[in-house]
Amino acid sequence: MEPHIKLVTGSIDRVFTGRQPWQIVAITTTTVLGTIWLCQVLFQEESVYQRAKKKVFKLARLIPAVRRKVDAEIEKINDGFVKDISQVGNYYTELPTDGIGHEEIIKKVDEYLELGHYRWKEGFISGAVYYYNPELIKLVTEVYGKASYTNPLHPDVFPGVCKMEAEVVRMTANLFHGGPSACGTMTTGGTESIMMACKAYRDYAREHRGITKPNMVLPVTAHTAFDKAAKYLGIFTKVVPVYADSTEVNIAAMERAINRNTVLLVGSAPNFPYGTMDDIEAIANLGRKYNIPVHVDACLGGFLIVFMKRAGYPVRPFDFSVPGVTSISADTHKYGYTPKGSSVILYSKKVYRHFQYTVTTEWPGGVYGSPTVNGSRAGGIIAATWATMMNFGLDGYVEATKRIIDTTRYIEQQLRAIKNIFIFGTPATSVIGIGSRDFDIYLLGGELNSLGWNLNSLQFPSGIHICVTYMHTEHGVAEKFVEDVRTKVALIMQNPTKPVEGKMAIYGVAQSVPDRELIGDFTKCFIDSMYYTPVDKQATK
């Protein structure tokens, strides 16, 4: 900031020389206003280039011809999404007059659950479903049924559910080497856990440091839930690059991004795109150096990485054993194998958790306090999570972790031996990112999709990844995946310049569109399609 200040003050000195007092007042007023404007332009968190680019695209959309073209493309995309999502058979758009009986409802539910063509029970998808065992489903179904009416918002009415939540939090905190002061809450998923941490640190910084324009510094590979939290909570995100070879966050770039308004530093263990783990110790060092909280996002692989040492796999320090780590998010509904809608957010001490809470003391309805986003919460999910963890036990989780990491290492090793593709960085847990310098990697994604595999697509740079789950550890699944990749790569290399077609082409095109707001519009169309019913065609836009 200093060079800019010297430039402005130096200019004022030159302008004032030989002027009359009234002229000095006028010039001073103009200069001050101009300086304020200049500072607003120069020192906004978002760069001048970023803001200028957005403005140009926004103005371009006002041109009638451009607007018509954009609208036509959006309509075409929307129709495609609706066509893909719509299902055969009747849709219920009105309540049945007399209600439907028990047997008919169960029959309908079974029919709905059979919709879709991916063979997820056989391990043909990446992530999404992390464990499938009829006996476990039977257990959690019974437990959830018993607790389905409970609500921990009323701890005096349902103290048993609150006890189960407290035990889940404590067991998880101990797994992550939290000391006696470690604490936390359960949430409905990783996004809510991350959002709660962001809220806690925003409010903590406002109270203790007077920060009213907070920002958080995070790797470009950090989960998009941080961006979502930032939008909800009014926090600016300062995204820093990762090293190209390791895909771990660039620590020097992270330090440069820190300023007096930084309320949070973020590291992933592991990250979603490539499954690599950031240098948590180095990030924690920055946290201690600048007195800034550090959050470790272990939502994806947290319930693997805590068991890896016991399973025989070394792992770098990443949890509360690292001085400077102040919070950790971990999803029980992933490798904790609990029902969907369950996660844990942990803090190193209670003072942070207190800023997560929402407390209202002046409401006519009474004093109100809630620990997370929701007021009423599903006690059934808490009970089912507790039951799953108790059912698995330490040895059960260690054994499952060993099988998954063994399988991941096997797939990684085999894929590295296939020419014309490469692996992003060194996978820390169960995610393997795949790219190619010889052909468009989305070609491989499309070819595997034709065989029933469903992998995640990555961008900037182009890639695909497989998230290995317990289903992939079943006999022959990993071997089939590797063989299918090998076969399809060989086929693609017969014509490596072939353009990508179908759904996979969208990912390549999306990266090349400079107007990211347009890609946002396409994404909104996709989300809209999830709520499609036939009456939507007649709805007023």
Side-chain angles (χ1 to χ4, degrees), residues 169 183-185 200 347 349-357 371:
V169 170
C183 58
T185 70
Y347 298 98
K349 51 188 178 181
K350 286 183 180 179
V351 65
Y352 297 127
R353 185 173 65 173
H354 285 172
F355 283 95
Q356 173 183 304
Y357 298 162

Side-chain angles (χ1 to χ4, degrees), residues 351-503:
V351 65
Y352 297 127
R353 185 173 65 173
H354 285 172
F355 283 95
Q356 173 183 304
Y357 298 162
T358 298
V359 177
T360 304
T361 60
E362 306 302 321
W363 180 42
V367 176
Y368 177 89
S370 64
T372 61
V373 169
N374 298 301
S376 293
R377 292 186 291 153
I381 289 293
I382 292 173
T385 298
W386 179 89
T388 303
M389 293 176 70
M390 298 297 284
N391 182 251
F392 262 87
L394 181 62
D395 289 345
Y397 279 120
V398 170
E399 177 57 28
T401 297
K402 179 168 174 49
R403 289 184 61 170
I404 289 169
I405 303 301
D406 284 349
T407 301
T408 303
R409 295 293 189 266
Y410 166 79
I411 293 175
E412 177 193 354
Q413 182 185 39
Q414 294 298 311
L415 293 182
R416 287 190 187 278
I418 298 175
K419 292 182 179 180
N420 310 115
I421 61 173
F422 66 86
I423 304 302
F424 288 98
T426 302
T429 56
S430 59
V431 175
I432 306 170
I434 309 168
S436 176
R437 300 181 183 89
D438 302 319
F439 61 87
D440 191 327
I441 195 64
Y442 297 136
L443 282 171
L444 179 58
E447 290 291 341
L448 292 172
N449 191 271
S450 70
L451 297 178
W453 296 100
N454 179 263
L455 273 61
N456 299 89
S457 297
L458 315 175
Q459 61 176 354
F460 306 128
S462 298
I464 57 177
H465 87 207
I466 181 170
C467 179
V468 179
T469 68
Y470 196 84
M471 273 84 89
H472 295 107
T473 70
E474 298 296 338
H475 179 70
V477 177
E479 290 80 2
K480 177 167 178 52
F481 175 74
V482 169
E483 186 54 38
D484 285 348
V485 171
R486 185 179 291 113
T487 300
K488 290 301 184 180
V489 168
L491 176 65
I492 290 169
M493 288 308 296
Q494 293 176 14
N495 183 16
T497 59
K498 175 185 175 182
V500 182
E501 299 175 347
K503 292 180 182 179

Side-chain angles (χ1 to χ4, degrees), residues 31 39 49 60 69 138 171 173 200 228 232 240-241 247 253 269 271 277 280 322 335 343 364 370 432 450 484 497 529:
T31 303
C39 288
Y49 170 75
K69 178 66 174 175
K138 183 179 178 181
M171 287 188 288
K228 187 174 185 178
Y232 271 84
V240 298
T247 71
N271 63 52
M277 187 170 79
I280 301 303
V322 179
Y335 293 101
S343 177
S370 64
I432 306 170
S450 70
D484 285 348
T497 59
S529 72

Side-chain angles (χ1 to χ4, degrees), residues 122-436:
E122 301 170 47
F124 272 67
I125 64 171
S126 170
V129 181
Y130 293 82
Y131 191 86
Y132 182 75
N133 182 299
E135 287 301 312
L136 181 61
I137 291 174
K138 183 179 178 181
L139 171 65
V140 298
T141 300
E142 184 175 349
V143 170
Y144 187 93
K146 288 178 177 292
S148 59
Y149 60 89
T150 64
N151 181 358
L153 180 63
H154 306 281
D156 53 338
V157 182
F158 306 109
V161 171
C162 292
K163 182 172 185 274
M164 283 189 271
E165 178 177 12
E167 290 178 358
V168 168
V169 170
R170 178 50 53 192
M171 287 188 288
T172 306
N174 288 339
L175 289 173
F176 284 92
H177 295 106
S181 62
C183 58
T185 70
M186 288 183 65
T187 68
T188 58
T191 294
E192 189 184 1
S193 289
I194 287 169
M195 186 174 292
M196 290 293 88
C198 292
K199 179 198 178 296
Y201 293 130
R202 181 200 66 176
D203 293 355
Y204 178 85
R206 181 187 296 155
E207 176 76 17
H208 291 276
R209 296 168 57 194
I211 294 176
T212 58
K213 294 183 178 179
N215 69 63
M216 55 181 162
V217 179
L218 63 159
V220 67
T221 50
H223 198 278
T224 189
F226 287 98
D227 184 63
K228 187 174 185 178
K231 287 179 169 66
Y232 271 84
L233 299 168
I235 304 173
F236 185 79
T237 54
K238 303 188 76 171
V239 179
V240 298
V242 296
Y243 298 113
D245 54 346
S246 68
T247 71
E248 296 176 18
V249 66
N250 185 319
I251 298 298
M254 177 169 270
E255 183 166 18
R256 287 194 297 271
I258 295 170
N259 64 21
R260 65 183 181 182
N261 288 324
T262 301
V263 302
L264 172 63
L265 305 180
V266 175
S268 303
N271 63 52
F272 175 84
Y274 314 116
T276 53
M277 187 170 79
D278 292 319
D279 188 342
I280 301 303
E281 288 183 296
I283 298 174
N285 285 340
L286 292 180
R288 295 200 309 276
K289 179 178 179 180
Y290 295 99
N291 193 28
I292 299 171
V294 172
H295 179 81
V296 175
D297 174 23
C299 285
L300 176 57
F303 273 79
L304 287 176
I305 203 165
V306 292
F307 302 113
M308 282 179 62
K309 277 189 177 181
R310 294 181 178 91
Y313 284 96
V315 60
R316 290 185 297 174
F318 65 93
D319 57 16
F320 290 125
S321 64
V322 179
V325 171
T326 56
S327 59
I328 299 171
S329 52
D331 286 358
T332 42
H333 71 194
K334 290 187 173 72
Y335 293 101
Y337 313 121
T338 69
K340 292 299 177 184
S342 161
S343 177
V344 176
I345 171 66
L346 302 170
Y347 298 98
S348 59
K349 51 188 178 181
K350 286 183 180 179
V351 65
Y352 297 127
R353 185 173 65 173
H354 285 172
F355 283 95
Q356 173 183 304
Y357 298 162
T358 298
V359 177
T360 304
T361 60
E362 306 302 321
W363 180 42
V367 176
Y368 177 89
S370 64
T372 61
V373 169
N374 298 301
S376 293
R377 292 186 291 153
I381 289 293
I382 292 173
T385 298
W386 179 89
T388 303
M389 293 176 70
M390 298 297 284
N391 182 251
F392 262 87
L394 181 62
D395 289 345
Y397 279 120
V398 170
E399 177 57 28
T401 297
K402 179 168 174 49
R403 289 184 61 170
I404 289 169
I405 303 301
D406 284 349
T407 301
T408 303
R409 295 293 189 266
Y410 166 79
I411 293 175
E412 177 193 354
Q413 182 185 39
Q414 294 298 311
L415 293 182
R416 287 190 187 278
I418 298 175
K419 292 182 179 180
N420 310 115
I421 61 173
F422 66 86
I423 304 302
F424 288 98
T426 302
T429 56
S430 59
V431 175
I432 306 170
I434 309 168
S436 176

Side-chain angles (χ1 to χ4, degrees), residues 41-51 54 236:
V41 171
L42 289 174
F43 305 125
Q44 285 189 53
E45 298 284 11
E46 194 172 38
S47 71
V48 175
Y49 170 75
Q50 288 172 318
R51 280 178 280 125
K54 287 181 181 179
F236 185 79

Side-chain angles (χ1 to χ4, degrees), residues 114-130:
E114 287 301 318
L115 295 175
H117 64 280
Y118 287 112
R119 297 152 60 184
W120 58 269
K121 292 181 184 178
E122 301 170 47
F124 272 67
I125 64 171
S126 170
V129 181
Y130 293 82

